[in-house]
Amino acid sequence: MQNQDTLCKSWEDGFCKLNNLFIHYTRTGGNKPPIVLLHGLVANGMCWKNIAQALSDNFDVIMPDARGHGKSSAPDYGYNYENLANDVISFLTVMNLSNVILVGHSMGGLTATLVACQSSLIRAVILADPTFLSLERQWEVWESDVIEQHKKMLTMSLITLIANRQKTHPDRSNELNELFAKARLQTNINAFDILMPPNPEYQQIIKEIKCPCLLLYGDSGVIGIEQANNLCKINHLVTADKIKNAGHGIYLDQPLQFVNSIIKFVDKL
């Protein structure tokens, strides 16, 4: 069996031109069912590396960088969920992907929800602690200091950011902390416009999903058990699975549980 480093070297690294953007992506490849992983704010496609490695035996894993993130184009404007969803739909179309398993974390989770409402290319959608926030909470985030914090981080060296992440997340590998530090430096400040309220009304778009949907949530993230249960009642196609001992960084806190939940869900489709 090939080791993980050899596998990663065989992955495709490319760009997809759509509309007026170039969307960068990484792809594990192979004649396997496609699974597309959408990252959150200040991350990028390669932040899914460990998950992609674990899924690559069963899937062709495709990890795009959202606009303003990673190596993708960073326009001066257009950072809202409707545009992010349109980017994904255009990406799937240009890449000739269909029957896609779509996975989204945080910002990527709300984006994936919109895509699943609008596109027939999606076979099933998996939402990992999506940003289903009340309007009040959205304003709290927007009026917080997260943008100023990011501006400060953009002035720091990669070495400093890695060291800071290792202090904050000592339980994560040095490689993961480095990937997220690099992703932070590759996040355009304009990408934070995504935080400007209001978000799409998540209860309404959950109602409109017409494919099987798995909602994954942890102990201390955005989604709680009551909210998860309510979303399952709104649409019978939605099921929920709690990942124990996980916060908002659900796939980082419990990667094995996360991957097993995905594979179990897909096997039942």
Side-chain angles (χ1 to χ4, degrees), residues 196-217:
M196 184 183 296
N199 290 349
E201 213 297 303
Y202 69 86
Q203 292 188 353
Q204 181 58 42
I205 57 178
I206 279 286
K207 288 180 183 177
E208 297 173 10
I209 291 178
K210 296 180 177 62
C211 64
C213 173
L214 176 63
L215 175 65
L216 296 176
Y217 66 101

Side-chain angles (χ1 to χ4, degrees), residues 53-221:
Q53 287 172 330
L55 291 172
S56 61
D57 284 343
N58 298 313
F59 301 97
D60 175 10
V61 189
I62 303 114
M63 300 158 279
D65 299 342
R67 62 168 67 195
H69 294 75
K71 300 176 184 176
S72 289
S73 299
D76 293 334
Y77 54 87
Y79 297 92
N80 58 54
Y81 280 105
E82 289 78 8
N83 284 340
L84 292 186
N86 287 335
D87 289 348
V88 173
I89 294 169
S90 296
F91 177 81
L92 299 179
T93 303
V94 174
M95 296 289 287
N96 197 29
L97 297 171
S98 60
N99 292 318
V100 170
I101 305 297
L102 186 63
V103 181
H105 171 247
S106 191
M107 175 187 81
L110 183 47
T111 303
T113 310
L114 280 171
V115 175
C117 292
Q118 299 170 11
S119 176
S120 61
L121 300 174
I122 307 304
R123 179 185 175 198
V125 62
I126 299 164
L127 311 176
D129 207 38
T131 48
F132 290 173
L133 302 172
S134 68
L135 185 58
E136 180 183 13
R137 180 60 182 145
Q138 291 172 43
W139 279 110
E140 288 175 358
V141 173
W142 176 247
E143 293 170 352
S144 72
D145 64 346
V146 291
I147 297 175
E148 288 306 313
Q149 287 181 17
H150 184 62
K151 287 179 180 178
K152 290 179 181 178
M153 290 185 195
L154 290 178
T155 68
M156 297 178 185
S157 69
L158 177 60
I159 293 174
T160 299
L161 284 178
I162 292 172
N164 289 345
R165 286 197 64 87
Q166 288 171 338
K167 290 177 183 177
T168 308
H169 302 288
D171 54 323
R172 296 178 188 169
S173 69
N174 291 340
E175 181 185 40
L176 266 179
N177 283 324
E178 181 175 345
L179 285 170
F180 273 85
K182 287 180 177 178
R184 171 70 73 165
L185 291 176
Q186 290 178 326
T187 303
N188 190 284
I189 192 66
N190 294 320
F192 278 76
D193 287 352
I194 195 68
L195 299 178
M196 184 183 296
N199 290 349
E201 213 297 303
Y202 69 86
Q203 292 188 353
Q204 181 58 42
I205 57 178
I206 279 286
K207 288 180 183 177
E208 297 173 10
I209 291 178
K210 296 180 177 62
C211 64
C213 173
L214 176 63
L215 175 65
L216 296 176
Y217 66 101
D219 301 302
S220 57

